[in-house]
Amino acid sequence: MESCFHCGEDCLEELITYNEKSFCCAGCKTVFEILNSNDLSYYYDLQEAPGISPKLKEDKYEYLENAEIVDRLLEFDHEKTQIVSFSIPSIHCSSCIWILENLHKLHSGVKSSQVDFPKKTIRLSFTAEEISLKELVVLLSRIGYEPNISLDNFEKKESEHDRSLIYKLGVAGFAFGNIMFLSFPEYFEINEFWLDQFKYLFRWLMFSFSLPVVFYSGKDYFISAYKGLRSGILNIDVPIALGIFVLFVRSTAEIVLDLGTGFFDSLSGLVFFLLLGKFFQQKTYSFLSFERDYKSYFPIAVTRISSEEEQIEEQVQVYKIRKGDTVLIRNEELIPMDAEILEGQANIDYSFVTGEADLVNKAEGDKVYAGGRQKGSIIKLKVLKPVEQSYLTELWSNEVFQKDRSFGFQSLTNRISKNFTIAVLSIAILATTFWLFADPTKAWNVFTAVLIIACPCAIALAAPFTLGNLLRIFGKKGIYLKDASVIERMAAIDTVVFDKTGTITTTGQTTAEYEGLELSDKELQMLGGSLKASSHPLSRSLYSILQHHGIRTPDSYKEYVGAGIECDFEGNRIKIGSASFTGESDSEEISNGKTAVHISSNAQYKGCFSFRNTYRKGMSGLFQQLSRNKYIIVLSGDNEGERDRLQSLLPVESGIHFNQKPGDKLEFIRQLQHGGRKVMMVGDGLNDAGALAQSEIGIAVSEDINVFSPACDGVMDASILSNLADYFQLAKKGVSIIQASFILSLVYNITGLAFAVTGNLMPVVAAILMPLSSISIVIFTTLATQILSKKLKK
Amino acid sequence: MSIIYMLLAISVVVAIIFFVAFIVSVRKGQYDDVYTPSVRMLFDDELVKSPAKENQPVNKEKFN
């Protein structure tokens, strides 16, 4: 099997040889030609087979001629300079960066372009006089980098980066370094005349460096602790804020009263390490969006027929479409509103909304709903409900999409911190009371020292570093989780609900099974020839599934809309299509409710090809593994046709439910949760969006992680779905690592407390003990997670 | 020994200069994308790769 020089795919359907190189399709060859003739073949030197085969459909971008839409998309527009940013999901390697930043070589109208690789976006500066926005988008699409333009782009312009954490980290780090430097003389207790002279200056400098650390870098901890206390929760930030506050007050008191040098180094170090942990945890995958709703999928514009008599077509923003307007939907276009068919034959793929894989045929006068994708010929629709009120968008008004799921979840850290805070406060009070009687001069010292040393810096670091590391490991394997709390929640899951179509079955590949009288070789050849000529989606997929027995070009070919095709070959007539078209009456029995293509030859009914989904590899093994400690349920939008096959894959005690609409799935998950179960939903597409949002964890499975991911907690590469059980293991072990780190940090705290309670806490002890505990926790968690990930297969 | 005042002042000023430089670079977006520039800088040399240009006409003749 040859693989394509451009995109590296196997050349399955056709093989084009050009320039002594093989290509899998004309698109790939064209891109190669474009790049080669423009002196850009260096693209292929950077990486082997770096390209993406382009899907050319240039009329798709007609709406980019509408000035109003262009205006909304442009970031900057003045005379000869226009700037626009696009998200390009197909950016994947350094070759992509190179070619996209050399666009000006392909077209002189492009002034400059800059790629942001982690975000998979490109910012283009161009001259509209030379190249229009539409031409620019077409240019990008032609070389395989089709921008993703949806209703979402329309709403929000480039959101501002939140850089406050980097600033805070910078401030804390800067102050930490300087304060450490200034405290050296005190660490070594050098009794040197000059250093003693300048000690006060050093101390006041340290004080001034610590001010921004406490009041700027550390302010989030005070705010969070205040909020927690107000709502009656003792979260981890309470002891931290207390620690920071006591450190600052005691240190300031010490230098004011000339008692000592204070703990400014520990203070700034503490804040610095805490922020470092936060920074580590915050690293998420910016190129993936976890908050997608229907707007990310809907087109920006539709074709409206503005004047019924003159049939003037115009591209209009989706939001401007009103009830009663007439719109045109072409092949492969998404229907963005509920409407009634005026003209044409609709073959609608609702898999997006219902999960049902079969095409739905609708004739004139029928109602169609938003979210369906038209396959085949052009249709004319009358709008019944505009976008905002359509059936699909109403799903998003469900309250599950409003609530923040991580709220109400008690993380391990917070659960421990409650007891921890209480313990620390009691020790502090007890120790102080004791010293009040034993030696009142030391009481104040002991009280503050206990609060300082007990500040749960190491505990607060354990979770961010472990979970942050695990997030990274998960990401490397192809499962991208929204944030660290998802891992903790994952460890607690006891029920896993799978969607069927597109999740445990593959979307693209279907297999067909033939039932009926045997077809002769000649008939098979005729069948191949007829199917090749047809553009109906079912014929296309059947054609690609059938093994080719040579192809005969039909002598005559006729397509009946909504029924099938009829072809003649040397006096033989073959009919392919619906049961009634081919003359079979009791079709129900044969096809058993499945999608089928029926065939008759010379007016004799032969049989039918029934389609069915292929299950992903390793599903049965995964179900067995999961069923050891979890309850498995499969929810499907499809009919019961597949029940037997599904049952054979699943462990006996699992549940299977068919005919589930999006709302039903959501309700089903809610019922499970009412029964006290912790549910993980694994699904794809918009039809599962409600269920994904309702469950404890919603994981969206996708074959191309850049394209489809409805609002969820994680996006998973479909090819690794069979390893899901291993990830549960990993999440569980991650939680044990955190627990182990807690124990380790408690040891430090107890050691420190021994110093504090006895009234022996010297600045130098604090300066050694506090960073030591933090750093050793970081090292411990990093090593432990590394070892865990090594054990993971793949 | 009052030189220490000056030395201290200088060291703090230097530290503050670096700190300001850091703030400015963050504000300008240098930390927004920490991957692409590292790849981009490797391209510069190859952009003026002459052999590719010389090969070009030969290829065209062969296949036109």
Side-chain angles (χ1 to χ4, degrees):
Chain A
M1 181 76 66
E2 292 269 5
S3 57
C4 181
F5 179 71
H6 178 71
C7 68
E9 294 279 310
D10 290 337
C11 302
L12 285 173
E13 294 200 348
E14 48 186 332
L15 177 71
I16 301 170
T17 315
Y18 172 81
N19 217 340
E20 291 158 30
K21 294 170 175 80
S22 348
F23 296 95
C24 66
C25 60
C28 284
K29 189 200 123 195
T30 318
V31 181
F32 175 75
E33 270 183 295
I34 295 172
L35 299 184
N36 212 21
S37 61
N38 282 288
D39 232 4
L40 294 169
S41 57
Y42 174 58
Y43 182 65
Y44 299 100
D45 298 346
L46 282 167
Q47 208 107 30
E48 214 167 283
I52 291 280
S53 58
K55 293 170 201 77
L56 280 182
K57 245 191 115 266
E58 296 181 9
D59 55 343
K60 190 173 153 188
Y61 294 110
E62 265 167 32
Y63 60 84
L64 290 175
E65 281 166 2
N66 182 323
E68 202 179 340
I69 293 173
V70 169
D71 192 48
R72 290 290 287 269
L73 289 173
L74 287 179
E75 264 174 35
F76 177 83
D77 183 9
H78 182 71
E79 288 174 2
K80 284 190 171 175
T81 309
Q82 277 73 30
I83 295 175
V84 70
S85 287
F86 290 123
S87 145
I88 300 184
S90 53
I91 294 179
H92 64 284
C93 67
S94 47
S95 283
C96 305
I97 303 176
W98 184 79
I99 196 73
L100 289 170
E101 299 204 338
N102 277 293
L103 271 185
H104 57 92
K105 287 196 176 169
L106 283 179
H107 199 293
S108 58
V110 180
K111 284 182 174 169
S112 68
S113 42
Q114 198 173 20
V115 175
D116 184 328
F117 187 81
K119 281 200 186 138
K120 306 200 180 199
T121 56
I122 183 171
R123 202 172 138 92
L124 288 149
S125 152
F126 63 102
T127 309
E129 281 173 18
E130 287 186 59
I131 183 168
S132 71
L133 188 65
K134 185 194 158 196
E135 285 163 347
L136 188 65
V137 171
V138 170
L139 175 71
L140 284 169
S141 314
R142 280 180 63 201
I143 58 167
Y145 296 101
E146 189 181 358
N148 183 8
I149 307 173
S150 65
L151 210 52
D152 221 11
N153 297 53
F154 210 79
E155 302 253 295
K156 48 173 190 261
K157 290 276 180 181
E158 179 84 4
S159 59
E160 266 306 300
H161 288 280
D162 182 22
R163 300 178 185 134
S164 67
L165 188 58
I166 297 183
Y167 287 131
K168 282 177 188 153
L169 196 57
V171 170
F174 167 79
F176 180 41
N178 281 289
I179 294 173
M180 286 248 293
F181 164 68
L182 292 167
S183 3
F184 270 122
E186 309 260 4
Y187 283 166
F188 303 114
E189 291 180 64
I190 300 165
N191 291 317
E192 199 260 346
F193 174 72
W194 287 109
L195 283 176
D196 272 349
Q197 286 287 300
F198 289 106
K199 151 167 107 177
Y200 302 102
L201 173 70
F202 284 0
R203 285 176 182 174
W204 285 108
L205 268 174
M206 286 196 265
F207 171 76
S208 40
F209 276 124
S210 76
L211 288 177
V213 175
V214 175
F215 294 104
Y216 175 65
S217 299
K219 74 175 175 193
D220 285 351
Y221 293 99
F222 292 111
I223 294 169
S224 160
Y226 172 70
K227 278 186 183 160
L229 284 179
R230 210 177 44 181
S231 50
I233 305 165
L234 276 179
N235 58 14
I236 189 76
D237 292 332
V238 175
I240 291 176
L242 199 64
I244 296 175
F245 177 74
V246 172
L247 267 170
F248 182 69
V249 171
R250 174 161 168 185
S251 308
T252 312
E254 279 192 11
I255 61 165
V256 170
L257 305 171
D258 194 16
L259 295 171
T261 173
F263 303 88
F264 290 117
D265 50 344
S266 308
L267 167 67
S268 52
L270 168 75
V271 176
F272 176 71
F273 283 120
L274 286 172
L275 290 174
L276 208 60
K278 240 188 194 174
F279 181 73
F280 206 70
Q281 197 175 26
Q282 216 187 42
K283 276 201 163 185
T284 42
Y285 315 94
S286 49
F287 67 96
L288 291 171
S289 167
F290 294 98
E291 308 296 341
R292 283 190 177 157
D293 61 9
Y294 67 95
K295 287 187 194 117
S296 319
Y297 305 90
F298 276 25
I300 262 183
V302 279
T303 315
R304 180 170 72 182
I305 298 177
S306 56
S307 154
E308 202 52 59
E309 301 86 50
E310 294 161 59
Q311 295 285 310
I312 298 171
E313 291 180 21
E314 57 169 1
Q315 297 288 330
V316 191
Q317 268 184 51
V318 162
Y319 284 129
K320 291 215 164 160
I321 297 288
R322 294 280 160 262
K323 192 182 165 185
D325 284 355
T326 311
V327 295
L328 283 183
I329 302 288
R330 297 189 173 83
N331 183 23
E332 290 291 322
E333 280 186 351
L334 199 77
I335 302 167
M337 58 278 288
D338 298 349
E340 188 188 305
I341 304 174
L342 286 181
E343 243 179 82
Q345 170 67 38
N347 294 302
I348 296 167
D349 171 9
Y350 274 124
S351 59
F352 208 47
V353 186
T354 59
E356 180 101 25
D358 308 341
L359 293 183
V360 179
N361 290 309
K362 296 271 173 166
E364 280 159 36
D366 287 345
K367 240 179 123 177
V368 289
Y369 296 97
R373 194 179 286 284
Q374 163 68 358
K375 304 252 180 182
S377 58
I378 192 164
I379 48 172
K380 199 192 264 184
L381 303 172
K382 188 179 165 189
V383 177
L384 297 176
K385 274 180 189 167
V387 188
E388 299 92 325
Q389 294 161 24
S390 72
Y391 158 75
L392 186 64
T393 45
E394 271 171 12
L395 180 67
W396 259 267
S397 55
N398 193 307
E399 93 253 36
V400 291
F401 290 98
Q402 265 78 51
K403 74 165 188 242
D404 179 11
R405 244 169 315 172
S406 52
F407 187 80
F409 171 75
Q410 277 276 23
S411 73
L412 195 56
T413 316
N414 277 345
R415 262 178 286 152
I416 287 188
S417 79
K418 190 183 164 193
N419 298 328
F420 183 86
T421 315
I422 294 168
V424 166
L425 284 175
S426 353
I427 292 174
I429 290 164
L430 281 177
T432 317
T433 332
F434 170 77
W435 282 108
L436 273 177
F437 293 105
D439 181 0
T441 50
K442 273 191 172 173
W444 152 256
N445 261 353
V446 167
F447 180 70
T448 49
V450 169
L451 291 181
I452 288 167
I453 204 71
C455 180
C457 175
I459 288 184
L461 281 177
F465 273 91
T466 314
L467 299 176
N469 236 336
L470 282 178
L471 271 187
R472 201 175 45 80
I473 292 163
F474 274 74
K476 261 194 192 158
K477 305 281 174 191
I479 167 164
Y480 302 91
L481 301 177
K482 186 165 130 193
D483 55 45
S485 79
V486 179
I487 298 178
E488 271 189 70
R489 276 184 274 159
M490 196 165 159
I493 293 295
D494 57 14
T495 307
V496 188
V497 179
F498 289 93
D499 163 58
K500 186 173 110 359
T501 318
T503 305
I504 57 176
T505 67
T506 54
T507 42
Q509 269 182 328
T510 45
T511 47
E513 211 169 57
Y514 181 73
E515 283 174 80
L517 304 169
E518 204 182 321
L519 296 169
S520 69
D521 274 358
K522 199 172 158 195
E523 280 167 334
L524 280 170
Q525 286 173 18
M526 280 157 53
L527 182 66
S530 324
L531 288 171
K532 193 168 192 220
S534 166
S535 63
H536 191 277
L538 280 182
S539 334
R540 302 300 309 164
S541 52
L542 186 56
Y543 177 74
S544 61
I545 293 166
L546 286 184
Q547 302 219 314
H548 301 281
H549 299 264
I551 285 162
R552 293 200 176 194
T553 320
D555 301 329
S556 80
Y557 173 86
K558 217 169 175 188
E559 192 152 359
Y560 297 90
V561 174
I565 46 179
E566 188 183 278
C567 295
D568 286 321
F569 299 85
E570 298 157 3
N572 294 314
R573 170 165 293 186
I574 190 164
K575 276 174 146 186
I576 306 165
S578 67
S580 55
F581 178 70
T582 50
E584 175 63 26
S585 45
D586 53 340
S587 60
E588 278 306 305
E589 201 185 309
I590 292 172
S591 61
N592 196 13
K594 285 177 266 185
T595 316
V597 173
H598 299 261
I599 291 154
S600 77
S601 170
N602 290 328
Q604 188 204 0
Y605 180 78
K606 284 285 188 183
C608 69
F609 283 96
S610 47
F611 289 91
R612 53 190 213 182
N613 303 112
T614 19
Y615 288 92
R616 291 186 198 284
K617 267 192 209 142
M619 276 305 114
S620 179
L622 169 69
F623 291 143
Q624 295 303 337
Q625 257 180 300
L626 283 179
S627 66
R628 275 179 222 146
N629 48 18
K630 289 175 181 64
Y631 181 50
I632 301 172
I633 296 167
V634 174
L635 293 184
S636 172
D638 278 350
N639 53 41
E640 303 229 356
E642 295 265 313
R643 181 180 276 276
D644 292 345
R645 279 184 69 206
L646 202 54
Q647 212 120 46
S648 68
L649 279 176
L650 286 163
V652 193
E653 64 276 13
S654 323
I656 308 176
H657 301 267
F658 288 98
N659 298 316
Q660 300 281 317
K661 290 196 187 63
D664 299 341
K665 290 187 179 180
L666 199 164
E667 199 45 50
F668 189 88
I669 303 273
R670 195 173 281 165
Q671 288 305 324
L672 280 175
Q673 287 172 328
H674 278 308
R677 290 190 171 274
K678 303 256 180 257
V679 186
M680 176 196 258
M681 171 79 201
V682 184
D684 75 319
L686 291 188
N687 57 318
D688 303 316
L692 289 173
Q694 173 64 39
S695 54
E696 259 82 23
I697 304 179
I699 301 280
V701 168
S702 173
E703 266 157 41
D704 181 355
I705 50 153
N706 301 314
V707 184
F708 286 119
S709 56
C712 58
D713 299 298
V715 184
M716 190 172 185
D717 191 335
S719 62
I720 56 148
L721 183 62
S722 57
N723 300 341
L724 188 66
D726 296 338
Y727 299 113
F728 275 113
Q729 283 285 319
L730 192 60
K732 265 219 167 111
K733 285 187 180 148
V735 173
S736 339
I737 293 179
I738 301 176
Q739 283 163 342
S741 325
F742 283 171
I743 293 169
L744 187 62
S745 75
L746 272 181
V747 172
Y748 281 116
N749 271 321
I750 290 165
T751 321
L753 277 174
F755 281 100
V757 172
T758 52
N760 289 320
L761 186 72
M762 295 291 118
V764 73
V765 174
I768 293 167
L769 206 59
M770 293 182 80
L772 185 71
S773 66
S774 311
I775 291 166
S776 60
I777 289 291
V778 171
I779 293 171
F780 171 71
T781 57
T782 313
L783 286 180
T785 45
Q786 280 306 331
I787 292 165
L788 270 192
S789 70
K790 283 258 163 60
K791 285 187 189 154
L792 213 69
K793 63 184 169 203
K794 190 197 165 187
Chain B
M1 201 57 191
S2 61
I3 188 75
I4 205 159
Y5 283 110
M6 221 171 95
L7 286 173
L8 252 182
I10 291 170
S11 78
V12 170
V13 165
V14 170
I16 286 174
I17 289 172
F18 275 100
F19 182 65
V20 170
F22 167 75
I23 298 285
V24 169
S25 67
V26 175
R27 186 152 295 171
K28 281 193 174 165
Q30 276 203 22
Y31 288 82
D32 295 348
D33 178 4
V34 288
Y35 179 78
T36 326
S38 69
V39 177
R40 187 181 296 136
M41 71 164 224
L42 296 172
F43 294 148
D44 287 343
D45 295 330
E46 274 94 351
L47 275 180
V48 278
K49 195 182 162 207
S50 48
K53 277 185 181 167
E54 281 162 25
N55 283 338
Q56 205 54 44
V58 183
N59 280 344
K60 269 190 180 160
E61 272 166 25
K62 233 193 250 175
F63 291 94
N64 279 351

